[in-house]
């Protein structure tokens, strides 16, 4: 197993950092690390060229200053070009909300971990066939743990992640349903929390989530 893929499955939580200005990115990452979360997805802001630039700047800054402490990924990657740009800036994995063959294939060609988003069994199998390492079930929270469990049962040979609506209240349920990892955004590191400089709250939430994972390990 590739080392980064192994790390993602071991760490189990990917923090989704969306809409955070690059000037706050180091403080945000340090808060997450202090709470025990080291996997971080910097999502592409697709609304404007300035947003895309901010995303790439954030990845660059984190890669240059905290590469020994965290594992960086790029999120909301919609094109092969964006996957290449993320790779050039230091991302090690690519996460998308959809199944795009070109994005998956360029991700694999560049030696990165591919985590495309899917919802149905057909999409999950298709993504795996294109080369996905993990398939992101999105939006998992809206469809619920029961749906995730039903989908994972016949597809247990395909590693899946739950993203969308996962928080400290239901995280253990998603792991019981069969996912190998989760992505958590707004309930952990929201733009509002960052702009209000509530970094202690981010660290506290990260620690609570990490403890949930450790508690599950002890039970199992």
């Amino acid at each position: 197993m590739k080392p980064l893929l192994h790390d993602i499955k071991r760490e189990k939580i990917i923090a989704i950092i969306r809409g955070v200005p690059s000037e706050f990115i180091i403080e945000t990452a340090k808060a997450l690390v202090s709470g025990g979360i080291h996997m971080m997805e910097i999502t592409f802001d697709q609304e404007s060229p300035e947003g895309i630039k901010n995303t790439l700047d954030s990845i660059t800054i984190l890669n240059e200053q905290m590469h020994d402490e965290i594992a960086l990924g790029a999120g909301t990657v919609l094109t092969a070009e964006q996957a290449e740009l993320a790779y050039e800036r230091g991302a090690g994995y690519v996460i998308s909300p959809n199944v795009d063959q070109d994005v998956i294939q360029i991700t694999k060609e560049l030696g990165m971990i591919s985590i495309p988003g899917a919802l149905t069994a057909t999409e999950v199998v298709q993504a795996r066939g294109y080369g996905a390492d993990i398939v992101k079930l999105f939006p998992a929270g809206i469809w619920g743990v029961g749906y995730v469990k039903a989908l994972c049962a016949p597809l247990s040979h395909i590693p899946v992640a739950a993203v969308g609506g996962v928080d400290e209240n239901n995280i253990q349920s998603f792991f019981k349903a069969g996912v190998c990892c989760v992505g958590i955004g707004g309930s952990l590191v929201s733009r509002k929390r960052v702009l209000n400089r509530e970094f202690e709250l981010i660290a506290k939430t990260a620690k609570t989530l990490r403890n949930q994972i450790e508690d599950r390990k002890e039970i199992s």
Side-chain angles (χ1 to χ4, degrees), residues 10-182:
R10 184 193 66 221
E11 291 292 320
K12 298 189 180 301
I13 299 174
I14 300 174
I16 302 170
I17 302 176
R18 178 182 293 109
V20 172
S22 56
E23 57 264 33
F24 292 103
I25 201 67
I26 291 295
E27 288 177 285
T28 301
K30 286 184 176 179
L32 290 166
V33 169
S34 69
I37 293 178
H38 302 269
M39 299 287 160
M40 300 179 198
E41 167 195 340
I42 314 301
T43 66
F44 270 93
D45 180 349
Q46 302 286 355
E47 292 187 0
S48 67
E50 291 75 18
I52 290 176
K53 180 180 183 301
N54 181 77
T55 301
L56 295 171
D57 287 346
S58 293
I59 295 173
T60 300
I61 291 168
L62 288 174
N63 186 50
E64 290 177 348
Q65 299 188 36
M66 295 185 68
H67 66 276
D68 289 335
E69 301 176 73
I70 63 177
L72 275 173
T76 317
V77 178
L78 301 181
T79 67
E81 179 185 12
Q82 289 174 356
E84 290 184 274
L85 289 171
Y87 169 78
E88 291 169 0
R89 298 300 184 98
Y93 49 100
V94 166
I95 303 177
S96 301
N98 62 319
V99 177
D100 185 296
Q101 185 175 6
D102 291 339
V103 172
I104 295 171
Q105 289 183 344
I106 191 65
T107 298
K108 299 306 298 175
E109 288 173 11
L110 292 170
M112 294 188 289
I113 301 301
S114 171
I115 311 177
L119 181 60
T120 67
T122 297
E123 292 171 341
V124 171
V125 174
Q126 185 179 54
R128 184 67 165 180
Y130 289 152
D133 296 287
I134 298 172
V135 181
K136 178 178 82 171
L137 296 182
F138 174 80
I142 293 175
W143 290 90
V145 172
Y147 178 81
V148 173
K149 183 177 181 179
L151 190 65
C152 287
L155 302 177
S156 59
H157 61 292
I158 301 177
V160 298
V163 180
V166 181
D167 58 31
E168 60 193 66
N169 298 311
N170 60 22
I171 184 172
Q172 289 196 8
S173 297
F174 280 107
F175 281 108
K176 290 177 183 177
V179 305
C180 70
C181 60
V182 298

